[in-house]
Amino acid sequence: FIFCQICTEIVRSLRDAPPAHYVLKIQSFSQMSEILRKTNVKSYESGEFEVGGYKWKLLLFPCGNEAEKGEAHISLYLAISNINSLPLGWVINAMFTFFIYDQIRDKFLTVHGSIPYFS
C-alpha cells in the first residue's frame, strides 16, 4: 500500500444524502476497536474497490495512527492497493470525499480533498 501525506485543502460539510460509490459500514465501532486492541492490531483494512481504473482500500486506525502522531484520534486513509501493476514513474491525482455518518445529527460529515500519489 502507498498513501501520500501531502494533501491539498480539506473541506468539511454536513449533508443528508449517503455516499453513492463505496460504503464501509461498521456495525459497532466500539466492538471493532476492542477486538483490534485485544489482538494487538492497529488498523482495519477495507475490501478492495475500483475507481478510475485503480484499486483502492480504506485504512482505518480507530485509536489513531501512532506513526503519524495521531494518537487519540480516528485516522482514515485512502490507499492504492495495486501499486506493483502500475508503470514506473506513475502519478495519480485522487480527488476524494469521505462520508462519516453522525448518528446524533442523522447527517453525514463529508470531508473533501485531493491527494497526489506517486512512485
Side-chain angles (χ1 to χ4, degrees), residues 8-21:
T8 62
E9 179 183 0
I10 299 292
V11 178
R12 292 172 178 84
S13 61
L14 290 175
R15 70 182 246 169
D16 295 320
H21 185 75

Side-chain angles (χ1 to χ4, degrees), residues 1-3 22 24 44-51 54-60 76-82 98 117:
F1 298 111
I2 186 166
F3 48 90
Y22 180 78
L24 170 63
Y44 173 81
E45 187 176 293
S46 77
E48 280 187 345
F49 56 96
E50 189 170 326
V51 177
Y54 301 102
K55 292 186 181 182
W56 303 86
K57 287 192 177 189
L58 295 175
L59 304 177
L60 174 67
L76 181 62
Y77 297 94
L78 178 62
I80 298 172
S81 60
N82 64 338
F98 291 142
Y117 292 81

Side-chain angles (χ1 to χ4, degrees), residues 32-51:
M32 180 194 69
S33 298
E34 184 65 19
I35 290 168
L36 292 176
R37 187 188 63 75
K38 284 182 178 179
T39 58
N40 201 29
V41 175
K42 303 289 184 198
S43 66
Y44 173 81
E45 187 176 293
S46 77
E48 280 187 345
F49 56 96
E50 189 170 326
V51 177

Side-chain angles (χ1 to χ4, degrees), residues 101-115:
Y101 183 64
D102 181 340
Q103 292 176 326
I104 295 169
R105 294 181 182 93
D106 191 30
K107 294 203 181 286
F108 289 89
L109 167 65
T110 62
V111 180
H112 311 274
S114 63
I115 303 173

Side-chain angles (χ1 to χ4, degrees), residues 61-112:
F61 293 77
C63 298
N65 184 355
E66 294 172 8
E68 297 298 322
K69 309 230 184 311
E71 299 92 354
H73 298 284
I74 297 170
S75 297
L76 181 62
Y77 297 94
L78 178 62
I80 298 172
S81 60
N82 64 338
I83 59 173
N84 294 333
S85 67
L86 299 174
L88 187 64
W90 60 269
V91 176
I92 300 169
N93 291 303
M95 293 175 24
F96 65 89
T97 302
F98 291 142
F99 293 76
I100 299 129
Y101 183 64
D102 181 340
Q103 292 176 326
I104 295 169
R105 294 181 182 93
D106 191 30
K107 294 203 181 286
F108 289 89
L109 167 65
T110 62
V111 180
H112 311 274

